[in-house]
Amino acid sequence: MADSLSPECTPLKSKYDTCFNAWFEGYLEPAVTVSSSERSAYSKEKADEFEAKCGKVWGQYRACVQKAVMEKGLGDLLQQAREENPLREPPVVQSSRRTS
Amino acid sequence: MKFFSQSFLYDDPWPIVSLAFFLRYPNPYAAHVISCDVISRNQTSSGSLLTTRLILKRGAMPRWFPKGIVSRAESWVIEESEVDPHGMVVRCRTKNLDHVKVMQVEEAVEFRQTPEGKTLQHTEARIVSGFGWGLTKRIENHGLTRFKANLQRSREGVSLILSLLRQSRLQPI
C-alpha cells in the first residue's frame, strides 16, 4: 500500500486500507438481482458493516490526514478543486453516511 | 488544448478489475507515486461509493523547459471516484492541483461491465497549457505524449495487480 502524505499517518493508513479493501471486495459483488428497494437495504447493511469493522480506524486515519493537509497548506487548494468537481455532491440522492 | 480518448477491453469481470484499479498503488509501473491518501469517502443511499483521494506524484520537466520556473517537479493530484456496484460502473476523474498554469491535465476514466462479462475501460483526457512564451503548443504536445505513455504503464500496473488477485483467489483457504 502506498504511503500517506505524512509519515506519521502511514501506520493508520495501512490499517485502514487493509480493513477497507476486505470490505470493498464484498461491496463490489452484491447479490445478482437486487431491486431498487433492496438496493438501499443493501447499502445500509454495507454501511453498517463498514462502520462496525473499520469505522474506528477510518476516523483516526482521517483525522491524521486532515491535520497533515492543513499543516501543508493544502486545505484551500483541495476545497477549491472539490467545489469544481461535479462528483462531490451527487444530484437528487441524499448521502446516507456523511463522513466528511 | 489537446483532447485524447481511448478504449480498452479487459477479459476479466468488472468486480475484479475495479478492485485492481483501486489497489493499483503501489506497483512497479507507478514508482512516481509518492503518496496516496483518502480524504473523504461516503456511501449514497442509491448504493454508490464516493471517494476523494489526494495523490502526490513525482514528475520530470523536459530538458527544453525554462529553468527556475517550476521549483519542484512534484504535483498534487485529486482523484474523485464513484463506484456503482449495482450498475457495475466505476467513474473516476483526476486533475493536478498545482502547476496548473504550466499545464492542467484532466482525466476521466470509466470501467463498465460488458454483456459478455468483460470490462470496458474508457479514458478521456484534456490537456491545457496557459504558459505562453511561444511554448504553449510544445508543452501541450509533450503532455499528450507523456499521457499516452503513462496510460500504457498504468494499464500494465492494473494488469499486474489483476494477476496477483487472480492468483490469491486460486489459493485454498
Side-chain angles (χ1 to χ4, degrees), chain A residues 5 16 25 27 61 84 99, chain B residues 36-37 41-42 47 95 169:
Chain A
L5 59 94
Y16 165 71
E25 196 167 351
Y27 171 81
Y61 165 56
E84 287 165 10
T99 49
Chain B
C36 174
D37 282 285
R41 179 167 263 161
N42 48 70
K95 63 179 177 184
R169 286 184 181 188

Side-chain angles (χ1 to χ4, degrees), chain B residues 70-91:
Chain B
V70 174
S71 54
R72 48 173 196 99
E74 285 175 359
S75 195
W76 290 102
V77 171
I78 190 168
E79 179 196 271
E80 302 258 7
S81 62
E82 177 185 358
V83 180
D84 174 4
H86 304 290
M88 297 184 122
V89 187
V90 167
R91 286 184 200 90

Side-chain angles (χ1 to χ4, degrees), chain A residues 44-80:
Chain A
K44 172 85 171 60
E45 183 192 314
K46 292 305 284 182
D48 291 347
E49 183 194 323
F50 177 84
E51 193 54 45
K53 287 184 178 164
C54 314
K56 192 176 168 216
V57 70
W58 165 232
Q60 292 169 331
Y61 165 56
R62 197 183 53 204
C64 190
V65 166
Q66 276 174 357
K67 185 166 159 270
V69 163
M70 291 306 159
E71 281 169 4
K72 284 180 186 278
L74 290 164
D76 290 347
L77 208 59
L78 204 58
Q79 189 56 34
Q80 194 189 341

Side-chain angles (χ1 to χ4, degrees), chain B residues 48-108:
Chain B
S48 286
L49 183 73
L50 306 182
T51 303
T52 304
R53 298 204 293 192
L54 182 62
I55 304 165
L56 183 60
K57 294 185 179 183
R58 192 177 290 122
M61 304 307 290
R63 235 168 295 154
W64 46 262
F65 195 78
K67 302 282 174 279
I69 290 171
V70 174
S71 54
R72 48 173 196 99
E74 285 175 359
S75 195
W76 290 102
V77 171
I78 190 168
E79 179 196 271
E80 302 258 7
S81 62
E82 177 185 358
V83 180
D84 174 4
H86 304 290
M88 297 184 122
V89 187
V90 167
R91 286 184 200 90
C92 181
R93 290 175 167 274
T94 55
K95 63 179 177 184
N96 54 308
L97 295 179
D98 43 13
H99 312 313
V100 292
K101 185 104 189 193
V102 177
M103 184 169 71
Q104 170 106 63
V105 180
E106 287 182 54
E107 178 187 7

